[in-house]
Amino acid sequence: MRKVLFSLLCVSILFFSCQNNNDIRICGMIDGANGRMVHLSVLGTDGLTMLDSAIVKNGRFEFHVRKKQKDEFFPSEERAFFNLSFSEDNSMTTLAGFGEGVELILTNPDRIVRGYKATGAADAVLMSQLDSSLSVFACRTDTLLYIYRICQDNDSIRVDIESQYNELVEEHHQYLRAFIRQRPQSLSSVIAFYRVYNHHRFLDEHADAEIFQLLVDSLSAKYPQSQYVEYLKNRQ
């Protein structure tokens, strides 16, 4: 009980410290990473632009993104994607607008995208839901791959594993379609549409044309100047 109360208190303190009407604050709590450097970049359609770095101290880190700072890169964006990373292959992406705070509880310093929790900005919470769903998919397919490798000479088992894998892919495909249908005006749905795992794309502009058009139309109405929306339009 004491541990639960302590965790809730820490989250409350973290949430309070991340609130500000003039900037975006991205805060995190993580065990086992003291002394490590975490980097913050803003994600555009042309790639990442580094904004800041911080050292994890006492299990915490915090970033402040000033509006003037963001406007140097994306002056027309009301909201932006931000990438947090310990290294090139150990990163995660979140989403927020000005006046919002993002609070992250990271559980795996060596694979931060897996098993984290996000509170604060609504879009950041949606991004964490997408990542959580993909983590479940990855865990289940990794198990199938392990069985496949040790039983690859058994035709019956191999065929069954392939069938189960295809079912998991279709299940996640339908999850992403439903996610976008329910939230067509959230930029998090852009990430949902272009979700990739092991070079496999779950959705396609042509095969899922009606979902893609819904996304383009909805986001164009809400964020007409957004570079992310412009990217979608150019894909039509």
Side-chain angles (χ1 to χ4, degrees):
M1 178 61 74
R2 288 183 178 179
K3 289 184 178 180
V4 173
L5 291 175
F6 178 74
S7 297
L8 291 174
L9 177 61
C10 288
V11 171
S12 296
I13 293 173
L14 189 60
F15 180 84
F16 180 77
S17 68
C18 285
Q19 302 309 295
N20 191 294
N21 292 327
N22 300 318
D23 59 17
I24 298 171
R25 293 194 178 190
I26 301 175
C27 314
M29 296 177 64
I30 182 168
D31 290 329
N34 283 341
R36 293 178 64 174
M37 184 76 75
V38 57
H39 308 282
L40 179 71
S41 302
V42 63
L43 174 62
T45 55
D46 293 328
L48 295 170
T49 301
M50 178 76 74
L51 294 180
D52 202 357
S53 297
I55 295 176
V56 179
K57 296 180 180 178
N58 299 319
R60 291 188 57 190
F61 62 85
E62 183 172 342
F63 292 103
H64 301 242
V65 182
R66 312 295 180 186
K67 191 173 190 304
K68 180 179 179 180
Q69 182 184 20
K70 194 275 303 180
D71 284 350
E72 293 178 9
F73 307 105
F74 306 137
S76 63
E77 294 298 339
E78 297 179 40
R79 320 184 70 70
F81 291 101
F82 297 92
N83 181 268
L84 282 165
S85 66
F86 281 117
S87 64
E88 186 175 344
D89 59 355
N90 185 17
S91 65
M92 57 163 289
T93 302
T94 191
L95 173 61
F98 285 92
E100 295 181 335
V102 178
E103 305 82 41
L104 303 168
I105 299 179
L106 308 171
T107 59
N108 185 349
D110 298 316
R111 197 76 181 274
I112 58 175
V113 74
R114 289 201 178 185
Y116 77 92
K117 300 294 183 183
T119 58
D123 281 333
V125 174
L126 292 177
M127 292 289 290
S128 72
Q129 292 174 8
L130 284 172
D131 287 335
S132 177
S133 178
L134 186 64
S135 291
V136 171
F137 172 85
C139 183
R140 295 169 71 182
T141 55
D142 286 351
T143 299
L144 290 179
L145 179 60
Y146 173 77
I147 298 173
Y148 185 91
R149 285 173 175 171
I150 64 177
C151 301
Q152 58 184 329
D153 294 330
N154 187 313
D155 291 342
S156 177
I157 293 178
R158 190 182 70 250
V159 170
D160 184 55
I161 293 297
E162 290 173 351
S163 176
Q164 290 185 55
Y165 173 78
N166 290 333
E167 287 178 5
L168 289 178
V169 169
E170 180 58 22
E171 180 182 307
H172 199 65
H173 172 245
Q174 294 301 329
Y175 164 80
L176 294 173
R177 285 174 60 92
F179 183 98
I180 296 168
R181 282 192 180 279
Q182 294 166 15
R183 308 164 183 88
Q185 288 195 318
S186 170
L187 286 170
S188 64
S189 288
V190 177
I191 299 299
F193 194 89
Y194 290 104
R195 183 60 95 189
V196 176
Y197 182 74
N198 280 350
H199 306 293
H200 175 81
R201 274 189 55 186
F202 295 93
L203 297 173
D204 177 82
E205 290 99 341
H206 301 291
D208 300 280
E210 80 286 3
I211 290 291
F212 183 66
Q213 193 61 54
L214 171 66
L215 187 60
V216 173
D217 293 343
S218 300
L219 289 177
S220 295
K222 189 170 184 179
Y223 302 111
Q225 304 300 318
S226 171
Q227 64 163 323
Y228 306 119
V229 175
E230 190 63 28
Y231 174 84
L232 293 177
K233 291 179 179 179
N234 290 336
R235 300 285 296 182
Q236 288 181 300

